[in-house]
Amino acid sequence: MVGVQSSFWGGGRSESGSIRGNRGSGAWLYRNTNNIIYIVNQQIKMKMSFGLCSIFLVFWLASIAYASDPSQLQDFCVAVPDAKNAVFVNGKFCKNPNMVVADDFLFQGLNKAGNTSNQLGSFVTPVNVNQLEGLNTLGVSMARLDFAPYGINPPHTHPRATEAFLLVEGTLYVGFVTSNPADPTQKNKLFTKYLYPGDVFVFPQGLIHFQFNVGKTNAVAFASFGCQNPGTITIANAVFGSDPKINPDVLAKAFQVEKNIIDYLQAQFWYNSN
């Protein structure tokens, strides 16, 4: 057996030196086993790091998806009227809690009909943080809507809130339009419904919607919003009644009409019922 070679152990050894050869082979196996374990551990750590990053990303995106008014950090934060030349904040400054009274949380007058004697035949009485300071940081607001026969609350959006709309009197034709579809061959989808007293309809946040009185009598509705100040953008007013005016060439190109039509529309008085 003298001089027998073993490819497994990586070198020659004699019978008399077998102990020394076995020791050398054991050291080689030990070192390589450690290397294999190290590589496997590194791969596991990389996968764990990737997994943790993925979990963090999911939670971060979820926090954006469910973003709304900031959570309140105290029982209430009654708004202080804006001072001239004051620094603007995202919301309102808080009144000293020791100075807060019950009237700060009270608004009176939603039992009174709004004046619908205007070119739209509708009137909106808002109750948001600008009318009721106690709503500051609470994330809710509401409004009363009055409609004369065939009056309309024209197409508009609320950029910061979803609207739950309750009809208590009359008959309304209401609807909203979806945002641009991902498929360019598809069109924006319209959802409409005729509402009767006791019906509730929801307008998703930011989508263009409208309410039209199709009855021969007055209509009354109440709307609630998931924001202390939902904001309103009336489409026609914003596009044709802005100050300064949008360049007519831009609108003529956008609407694919002659410039004189845009000039006519921009010359109109755009009544704001909100």
Side-chain angles (χ1 to χ4, degrees):
M1 297 294 293
V2 177
V4 174
Q5 297 291 326
S6 173
S7 60
F8 176 81
W9 296 110
R13 60 185 176 89
S14 64
E15 186 175 3
S16 60
S18 61
I19 296 177
R20 184 171 60 252
N22 285 337
R23 287 178 177 174
S25 300
W28 178 88
L29 183 60
Y30 176 78
R31 288 194 302 271
N32 284 276
T33 300
N34 283 345
N35 289 338
I36 293 171
I37 293 173
Y38 174 78
I39 293 171
V40 171
N41 285 338
Q42 290 299 107
Q43 291 179 342
I44 292 173
K45 288 179 180 179
M46 290 176 64
K47 290 181 179 179
M48 290 180 65
S49 297
F50 178 76
L52 290 174
C53 289
S54 300
I55 293 172
F56 173 78
L57 180 61
V58 168
F59 278 104
W60 180 69
L61 291 175
S63 67
I64 295 176
Y66 291 98
S68 184
D69 285 357
S71 298
Q72 58 194 88
L73 302 177
Q74 56 222 16
D75 289 344
F76 48 79
C77 172
V78 175
V80 175
D82 295 329
K84 294 182 178 180
N85 302 318
V87 176
F88 283 91
V89 297
N90 187 25
K92 301 281 187 178
F93 289 106
C94 298
K95 186 177 184 179
N96 185 336
N98 294 326
M99 304 295 292
V100 171
V101 296
D103 284 346
D104 291 323
F105 302 96
L106 175 66
F107 179 91
Q108 296 176 309
L110 279 191
N111 61 316
K112 299 177 181 178
N115 184 6
T116 58
S117 298
N118 55 66
Q119 63 193 72
L120 295 177
S122 68
F123 191 87
V124 178
T125 304
V127 185
N128 57 49
V129 70
N130 296 308
Q131 291 79 37
L132 181 55
E133 291 83 0
L135 289 175
N136 193 39
T137 73
L138 299 186
V140 294
S141 59
M142 64 182 302
R144 170 177 173 144
L145 297 90
D146 290 279
F147 299 85
Y150 308 110
I152 187 172
N153 189 11
H156 62 283
T157 72
H158 300 294
R160 294 182 289 274
T162 290
E163 174 182 355
F165 186 88
L166 168 65
L167 182 63
V168 297
E169 181 182 329
T171 305
L172 295 181
Y173 172 68
V174 306
F176 68 87
V177 182
T178 61
S179 57
N180 296 351
D183 184 351
T185 63
Q186 296 181 348
K187 295 183 178 181
N188 304 65
K189 189 171 183 179
L190 172 65
F191 294 88
T192 62
K193 205 72 179 175
Y194 287 94
L195 301 186
Y196 303 94
D199 290 348
V200 174
F201 197 80
V202 175
F203 302 105
Q205 178 176 344
L207 298 188
I208 296 174
H209 59 283
F210 59 87
Q211 299 102 20
F212 178 55
N213 185 2
V214 295
K216 297 181 180 180
T217 60
N218 293 335
V220 180
F222 291 89
S224 58
F225 304 92
C227 177
Q228 69 179 39
N229 185 22
T232 301
I233 302 173
T234 306
I235 307 304
N237 298 44
V239 174
F240 300 112
S242 65
D243 184 18
K245 298 183 184 300
I246 298 175
N247 188 319
D249 293 327
V250 173
L251 297 181
K253 184 72 172 179
F255 288 96
Q256 298 292 290
V257 297
E258 297 297 326
K259 181 175 175 292
N260 64 312
I261 296 178
I262 300 300
D263 292 336
Y264 170 79
L265 290 172
Q266 289 187 323
Q268 304 306 303
F269 171 73
W270 296 96
Y271 177 76
N272 180 16
S273 64
N274 289 276

